[in-house]
Structure formats: C-alpha cells, structure tokens
Amino acid sequence: MLGLGSIGTIIYVLTIIDVVRSSFHTDTDKVIWVLIVVVLPLLGTLLWFLIGRGRTVL
C-alpha cells in the first residue's frame, strides 16, 4: 500500500518532469523553476501548479 510519503514523492517527481517538458520564453526561466521546485519541494510544487503552468509558452 502506498503511504502518504510515496504519493508526495510521486507528485514531486511529476512536477519536476512537467517543469522540464514545459516551454518557456528563456532557458533561465526553466532553470529558476526547477531550482524552486527542488529547493522548496512542497511550496515549489504548489507554486508551479498555481502560478507557473499558466506562464509557459504554448
């Protein structure tokens, strides 16, 4: 049975993958988002899904 920690880890990894696959105006934006998610896992993940995904280039 998956514990809460395992689910959190899966969401964390999926967030990093989503950031890396997203298109940005500059590569610097991508690096900054990856650093935010890696350094601040919970807050970075929340910020990515609340703010970051809407700012990517389609």
Side-chain angles (χ1 to χ4, degrees):
M1 183 171 155
L2 288 176
L4 194 57
S6 298
I7 294 171
T9 303
I10 291 168
I11 292 171
Y12 175 62
V13 170
L14 291 175
T15 302
I16 293 172
I17 292 170
D18 192 35
V19 171
V20 171
R21 287 185 176 179
S22 295
S23 299
F24 292 89
H25 294 288
T26 64
D27 288 334
T28 306
D29 293 341
K30 184 179 288 194
V31 171
I32 290 171
W33 271 111
V34 169
L35 287 174
I36 290 171
V37 171
V38 169
V39 173
L40 305 167
L42 179 62
L43 183 61
T45 299
L46 289 173
L47 288 173
W48 171 249
F49 286 108
L50 293 175
I51 302 170
R53 287 189 97 198
R55 296 186 182 252
T56 60
V57 177
L58 299 175

